[in-house]
Amino acid sequence: MDLPRHARLLSQVHDAVLSGRRPPAQPREIVGRSWSRLQADGVSPDSCEDVVLADCAEVEARRTRTALRSILPELRSALTQVAEDANFIVVIADSDGVVLWREGSRGLRKAADALGFMEGARWSESSVGTNSIGTALVEDTPVQLFSAEHYARSHRGWSCTGSPVHDPRSGEVLGVVDISGSAMSVHPTTVALVQTAVRLAEATLWQEHTINLEKLRGHAAPVLGATAGPALVVDRHGWVADARGIAAPDRVSPPCPGTPLLVPGLGLCVPEPLGDGWLVRREGRPATIGVELDLGESPRATVRGDTSWTRALSPRHAQILRVLTESGSAGIDAASLSVSLFGDRDHVVAVRAEISRLRKSLGPILSTHPYRFADGVDVHVVG
């Protein structure tokens, strides 16, 4: 490919799209979606050059609490030397898009400083426009951008490749690993390189997970041995470390203090803290779980078993629950739910976030893949 010629074409496409004129070609779908989001939010390319920097104390606090810290050696081993040799920089950002670590070519780091692309910079899409860190976070997929595919004009001299890092225990996005360099150094194999590094890092997190489960199993053995009736011991992500008297799944919904937990074969339970995990048990027969949804002017959901609780619902959550009741036991996937809520299939990321918040509020009465009410839950709608 003639990179300079392609860069000139992308500049023409960028300027035409953002000015409302007919472009000489269409941007790639992922780029077009990002530009549309930014335009809809009133974000201009010029405003994206005003980089927000966190102070040193905040950066250090973010470094301390992120799970990315434990996989930093693997990421450095896989990428840093390659980046230095190829005149790239490696950037690791957290789930807010804040740059936590940056290494690689000294000359390129100086060029990045001129953009504000440094440790502490907030590189979210809403802050600096279409970029391989912020857009990868929004889309939850690897993103490679070349030249004027970036939203900010000052970023046109760069090519950037970012891939999200997921916590294999929870599926949570921990942040993004990015390799950036001059626009003329773009290469398709960079995507594979970054993804390989991310997979190695995620494998390390999973190995840590299995070690921690084994430790929790040993700590819980005396408690389980003295427990009458069926019980589980789970970690904070809901992974089952050990079980007695029940055919346990690999994982249940993550326990939340004070919120009942619905466990197949056990019914509604109140998790009890146990070291770094939770003891989940109940006495007597499993309870029938009923859910009453009031979807009127003041929407709320009431969950009833041996105990009951009520949660107020936002209008969006009420809308989601109405769609789920209409979809029945077959459920609905994220793209179809996006169509029902927003009228298109472009809001899958927002749908996943809303479902996550809804499950944290109501507990495990909702199942995923597809989204539906869990088996054994009797739903009644009023209003």
Side-chain angles (χ1 to χ4, degrees), residues 241-253:
D242 206 352
R244 294 289 187 276
I246 180 176
D250 291 334
R251 189 184 183 193
V252 300
S253 294

Side-chain angles (χ1 to χ4, degrees), residues 232 246-249 251-253 261-269 286 364 367 374-375:
L232 304 174
I246 180 176
R251 189 184 183 193
V252 300
S253 294
L261 185 66
L262 180 61
V263 180
L266 282 182
L268 207 61
C269 311
S367 295
D375 294 337

Side-chain angles (χ1 to χ4, degrees), residues 318-356:
Q319 187 182 9
I320 290 172
L321 292 174
R322 187 178 293 281
V323 173
L324 294 185
T325 60
E326 293 170 352
S327 66
S329 60
I332 187 170
D333 61 25
S336 299
L337 187 51
S338 174
V339 172
S340 296
L341 299 179
F342 301 100
D344 57 49
R345 301 171 69 88
D346 298 335
H347 291 76
V348 169
V349 175
V351 164
R352 290 172 179 157
E354 292 291 354
I355 288 286
S356 177

Side-chain angles (χ1 to χ4, degrees), residues 10-237:
L10 289 176
S11 294
Q12 295 168 6
V13 170
H14 179 282
D15 294 344
V17 170
L18 269 61
S19 63
R21 294 182 283 108
R22 182 182 180 87
Q26 292 299 318
R28 290 187 297 133
E29 287 187 9
I30 195 167
V31 174
R33 286 197 299 270
S34 176
W35 290 358
S36 294
R37 283 192 295 268
L38 291 160
Q39 286 182 298
D41 292 339
V43 179
S44 71
D46 292 338
S47 68
C48 294
E49 298 179 12
D50 299 327
V51 179
V52 177
L53 286 174
D55 61 29
C56 293
E58 181 183 347
V59 172
E60 191 53 43
R62 286 176 177 271
R63 287 173 171 173
T64 299
R65 64 176 179 257
T66 180
L68 294 171
R69 188 181 192 95
S70 66
I71 57 177
L72 194 58
E74 282 73 20
L75 294 172
R76 282 173 167 157
S77 175
L79 295 175
T80 300
Q81 188 58 54
V82 174
E84 289 179 348
D85 293 343
N87 201 33
F88 288 117
I89 55 172
V90 176
V91 173
I92 301 172
D94 65 14
S95 58
D96 293 323
V98 175
V99 176
L100 301 183
W101 293 279
R102 190 192 68 173
E103 300 176 353
S105 165
R106 178 176 297 180
L108 209 58
R109 277 183 283 159
K110 290 181 178 179
D113 288 344
L115 294 178
F117 192 27
M118 60 185 69
E119 292 172 344
R122 184 175 292 272
W123 224 250
S124 62
E125 187 179 81
S126 60
S127 296
V128 298
T130 308
N131 72 91
S132 60
I133 292 175
T135 304
L137 287 172
V138 173
E139 296 277 347
D140 195 13
T141 193
V143 173
Q144 184 172 59
L145 298 173
F146 170 68
S147 187
E149 289 183 321
H150 292 90
Y151 197 64
R153 293 181 178 86
S154 58
H155 298 175
R156 290 185 179 184
W158 291 76
S159 66
C160 305
T161 304
S163 181
V165 183
H166 295 85
D167 189 330
R169 301 162 294 188
S170 65
E172 173 190 9
V173 176
L174 299 175
V176 173
V177 175
D178 169 89
I179 286 183
S180 292
S182 71
M184 295 304 112
S185 66
V186 67
H187 198 284
T189 59
T190 309
V191 178
L193 174 63
V194 175
Q195 287 184 280
T196 298
V198 166
R199 283 194 291 269
L200 288 172
E202 291 174 346
T204 298
L205 286 174
W206 184 255
Q207 185 177 31
E208 291 178 0
H209 162 70
T210 58
I211 292 172
N212 290 335
L213 274 187
E214 187 62 36
K215 291 179 180 177
L216 179 58
R217 187 177 297 117
H219 178 73
V223 178
L224 273 182
T227 299
L232 304 174
V233 173
V234 303
D235 70 4
R236 63 188 180 90
H237 300 290

Side-chain angles (χ1 to χ4, degrees), residues 219-298:
H219 178 73
V223 178
L224 273 182
T227 299
L232 304 174
V233 173
V234 303
D235 70 4
R236 63 188 180 90
H237 300 290
W239 289 95
V240 177
D242 206 352
R244 294 289 187 276
I246 180 176
D250 291 334
R251 189 184 183 193
V252 300
S253 294
C256 182
T259 299
L261 185 66
L262 180 61
V263 180
L266 282 182
L268 207 61
C269 311
V270 177
E272 306 166 43
L274 179 64
D276 292 329
W278 298 85
L279 176 65
V280 181
R281 60 182 172 178
R282 58 162 284 112
E283 296 181 359
R285 300 178 62 185
T288 299
I289 309 301
V291 179
E292 182 179 279
L293 300 176
D294 184 343
L295 303 180
E297 293 183 0
S298 301

